[in-house]
């Protein structure tokens, strides 16, 4: 491959000032920057070529040799046979590629500067299980729970830097948070991009770390979190509380708190969506004669009238005594299932009465009543 003239590469003439050389190189570096041309081999070559030209022309000594002897003049002794590793370019011209450089302007919304602006490492999410009674679910509840989590260090206000000392661009990755390594094989070059170990990919390091958090920017602490549980949540449903998880390392975004709801089984009620089912046990005479009884509801006792002749298995609906709908207005119902208890033992006197009853008109031929039972109707 015939090497192109360095002046030609940068598009300048031999009398260009140092400033012009730098400007010309910046322009090309922006144009062929690997961030802008991912997986573009040609752009990468142009990027390397420009770096090589700049490396020589930016040095008075090398430039003089190049001017006199051409490529041969700088070939030996200076390692100026071109950059094979893009990472070498970044580190070699860190004045151009690190913070406050052209790339801030150019990649204003790009990855490099975004990483810098956000800073730190995001915190992890936390998950808690919150046990709730049906009563609490029914109308929603506000609960305070104690939680051990990473919080911002109060000493350094989360920066990880002691006494307001500042952070600086990581000298290893020059703020990119990434280190590129090139391995060579018979198939060619492989560029590996890895998170910078020195700064854990943050792009910045602390000058003197905060003693309390050892530069982490956060400490473990027990905190109280108030959780407003909306009405109508159900077993296994969850709520995400943004930013209530572990604090991020050195001002990184905090994680979320994920609250998973668990329903505590109720002594009396079974939940069926937003309805609740209650098993009411009455006696045979009560079912025949009718009765007014007290039944428990989620909000205390309530009166319920049982009509004379109420059949076993009948479901009585108590409107709006169930669970409040999630995300919409209105409540479910309480369904009261009628169970008739048959005594296992009766006295002699009771036996006599029952015998007499069984001979009486109403009991002798009860007739075919609507025994299509209510369980089927309600899908129970
Ligand atoms: Zn601290
Ligand atoms: Zn680094």
């Amino acid at each position: 491959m015939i090497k192109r003239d360095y002046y030609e590469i940068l598009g300048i003439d031999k009398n260009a000032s140092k400033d012009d050389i730098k400007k010309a190189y910046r322009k090309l570096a922006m144009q062929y920057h690997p961030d802008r041309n991912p997986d573009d081999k040609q752009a990468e070559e142009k990027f390397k070529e420009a770096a090589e030209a700049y490396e020589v022309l930016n040095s008075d000594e090398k430039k003089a040799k190049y001017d006199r002897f051409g490529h041969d003049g700088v070939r030996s002794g200076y390692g100026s046979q071109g950059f094979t590793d893009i990472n070498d370019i970044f580190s070699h011209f860190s004045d151009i590629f690190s913070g406050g450089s052209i790339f801030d302007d150019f990649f204003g919304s790009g990855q490099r500067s975004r990483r810098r602006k956000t800073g730190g490492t995001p915190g992890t999410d936390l998950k808690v299980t919150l046990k709730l009674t049906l009563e609490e679910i029914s109308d929603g509840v506000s609960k305070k729970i104690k939680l051990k989590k990473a919080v911002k260090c109060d000493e350094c206000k989360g920066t990880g830097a002691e006494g307001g000392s500042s952070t600086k661009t990581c000298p290893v990755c020059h703020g990119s948070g990434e280190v590129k390594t090139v391995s060579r094989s018979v198939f060619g070059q492989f560029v590996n991009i890895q998170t910078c170990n020195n700064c854990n990919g943050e792009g910045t390091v602390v000058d003197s770390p905060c003693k309390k958090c050892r530069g982490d920017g956060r400490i473990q602490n027990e905190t109280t979190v108030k959780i407003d549980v909306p009405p109508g949540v159900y077993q296994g449903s969850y709520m995400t509380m943004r930013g209530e998880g572990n604090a991020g390392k050195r001002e990184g975004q905090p994680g979320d708190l994920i609250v998973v709801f668990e329903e505590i089984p109720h002594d009396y009620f079974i939940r069926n969506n937003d309805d609740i089912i209650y098993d009411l046990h009455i006696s045979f005479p009560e079912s025949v004669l009718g009765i007014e009884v007290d039944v428990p509801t989620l909000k205390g006792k309530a009166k319920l009238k049982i009509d004379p002749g109420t059949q076993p298995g009948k479901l009585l609906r108590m409107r709006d005594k169930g669970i409040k709908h999630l995300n919409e207005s209105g409540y479910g119902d309480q369904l009261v299932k009628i169970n008739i208890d048959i005594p296992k033992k009766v006295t002699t006197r009771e036996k006599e009465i029952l015998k007499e009853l069984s001979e009486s008109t109403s009991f002798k031929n009860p007739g075919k009543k609507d025994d299509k039972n209510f369980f089927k109707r309600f899908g129970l």
Side-chain angles (χ1 to χ4, degrees):
M1 188 176 121
I2 298 162
K3 270 186 174 296
R4 284 171 74 206
D5 178 66
Y6 288 150
Y7 291 99
E8 191 192 315
I9 291 167
L10 295 182
I12 49 174
D13 65 44
K14 291 202 174 188
N15 302 315
S17 67
K18 273 214 142 185
D19 217 47
D20 289 335
I21 295 169
K22 197 167 187 169
K23 265 187 206 156
Y25 172 56
R26 280 181 170 180
K27 197 175 150 228
L28 290 169
M30 277 198 286
Q31 190 179 344
Y32 297 117
H33 196 283
D35 279 6
R36 293 193 70 205
N37 305 277
D39 299 316
D40 185 341
K41 266 279 159 206
Q42 223 177 340
E44 196 186 303
E45 285 313 316
K46 295 249 186 212
F47 186 72
K48 286 177 185 168
E49 193 185 47
E52 189 189 329
Y54 177 64
E55 203 254 339
V56 170
L57 300 185
N58 188 44
S59 148
D60 291 337
E61 197 189 341
K62 288 181 198 175
K63 185 175 183 291
K65 285 192 174 178
Y66 180 73
D67 286 345
R68 279 188 75 185
F69 306 110
H71 288 297
D72 288 333
V74 289
R75 183 152 294 171
S76 56
Y78 290 100
S80 297
Q81 295 179 48
F83 294 91
T84 45
D85 185 349
I86 283 186
N87 200 48
D88 288 346
I89 299 173
F90 291 128
S91 49
H92 203 87
F93 303 128
S94 60
D95 61 322
I96 282 185
F97 289 102
S98 61
S101 76
I102 45 166
F103 290 100
D104 276 333
D105 312 324
F106 198 78
F107 293 100
S109 58
Q111 200 186 0
R112 268 159 209 279
S113 56
R114 189 169 61 231
R115 196 198 300 269
R116 260 202 295 277
K117 263 174 214 145
T118 313
T121 309
T124 50
D125 292 344
L126 277 174
K127 194 167 136 185
V128 290
T129 300
L130 194 61
K131 292 187 177 189
L132 300 165
T133 63
L134 276 185
E135 281 86 351
E136 289 170 334
I137 290 171
S138 165
D139 275 307
V141 67
S142 187
K143 289 213 151 188
K144 280 182 179 164
I145 57 158
K146 286 208 163 128
L147 200 64
K148 274 212 169 103
K149 65 172 186 180
V151 295
K152 255 189 187 177
C153 172
D154 50 350
E155 196 68 37
C156 61
K157 309 213 159 33
T159 60
E162 192 182 35
S165 71
S166 58
T167 56
K168 62 179 181 190
T169 303
C170 172
V172 174
C173 64
H174 307 287
S176 72
E178 290 169 349
V179 177
K180 295 190 177 78
T181 53
V182 175
S183 51
R184 290 174 190 85
S185 79
V186 288
F187 302 109
Q189 289 186 1
F190 294 94
V191 179
N192 295 305
I193 299 171
Q194 279 168 325
T195 304
C196 173
N197 282 330
N198 191 48
C199 63
N200 287 324
E202 289 171 31
T204 53
V205 287
V206 171
D207 264 336
S208 81
C210 166
K211 285 194 181 66
K212 189 168 181 180
C213 64
R214 294 198 189 99
D216 189 72
R218 55 194 178 164
I219 46 168
Q220 284 292 323
N221 208 348
E222 188 173 78
T223 51
T224 305
V225 183
K226 190 173 159 252
I227 302 170
D228 289 316
V229 181
V233 299
Y234 47 90
Q235 174 77 29
S237 63
Y238 63 92
M239 187 169 92
T240 304
M241 296 173 73
R242 295 257 172 257
E244 294 288 344
N246 282 315
K249 189 177 170 184
R250 286 177 46 208
E251 297 182 300
Q253 295 278 342
D256 297 333
L257 175 64
I258 296 154
V259 186
V260 182
F261 302 115
E262 200 178 298
E263 218 175 275
I264 302 169
H266 200 278
D267 287 343
Y268 304 135
F269 305 123
I270 291 169
R271 183 176 181 175
N272 182 32
N273 298 322
D274 288 341
D275 292 339
I276 54 164
I277 299 161
Y278 175 68
D279 265 308
L280 178 68
H281 291 259
I282 55 172
S283 70
F284 167 63
E286 284 169 344
S287 76
V288 176
L289 301 172
I291 189 181
E292 195 178 71
V293 289
D294 280 336
V295 292
T297 73
L298 289 171
K299 293 184 182 70
K301 277 182 190 170
K303 294 255 183 256
L304 179 67
K305 204 171 160 258
I306 313 290
D307 288 332
T310 295
Q311 302 299 309
K314 177 159 186 162
L315 283 169
L316 301 176
R317 192 175 286 268
M318 299 171 83
R319 293 244 171 249
D320 302 331
K321 297 280 190 206
I323 292 161
K324 194 162 190 267
H325 300 311
L326 180 67
N327 298 328
E328 47 181 296
S329 59
Y331 284 80
D333 301 329
Q334 177 166 330
L335 301 173
V336 179
K337 192 172 111 189
I338 304 296
N339 296 271
I340 295 169
D341 288 347
I342 308 292
K344 283 180 178 149
K345 267 186 186 169
V346 284
T347 62
T348 320
R349 165 88 181 116
E350 287 163 344
K351 213 179 250 178
E352 275 170 26
I353 298 169
L354 284 168
K355 256 190 183 152
E356 203 180 309
L357 268 180
S358 66
E359 297 299 320
S360 66
T361 336
S362 306
F363 290 92
K364 206 164 186 181
N365 282 310
K368 292 242 170 190
K369 294 230 172 135
D370 51 337
D371 53 3
K372 286 232 161 67
N373 81 41
F374 287 84
F375 290 98
K376 271 186 195 155
R377 194 169 141 196
F378 288 98
L380 295 169

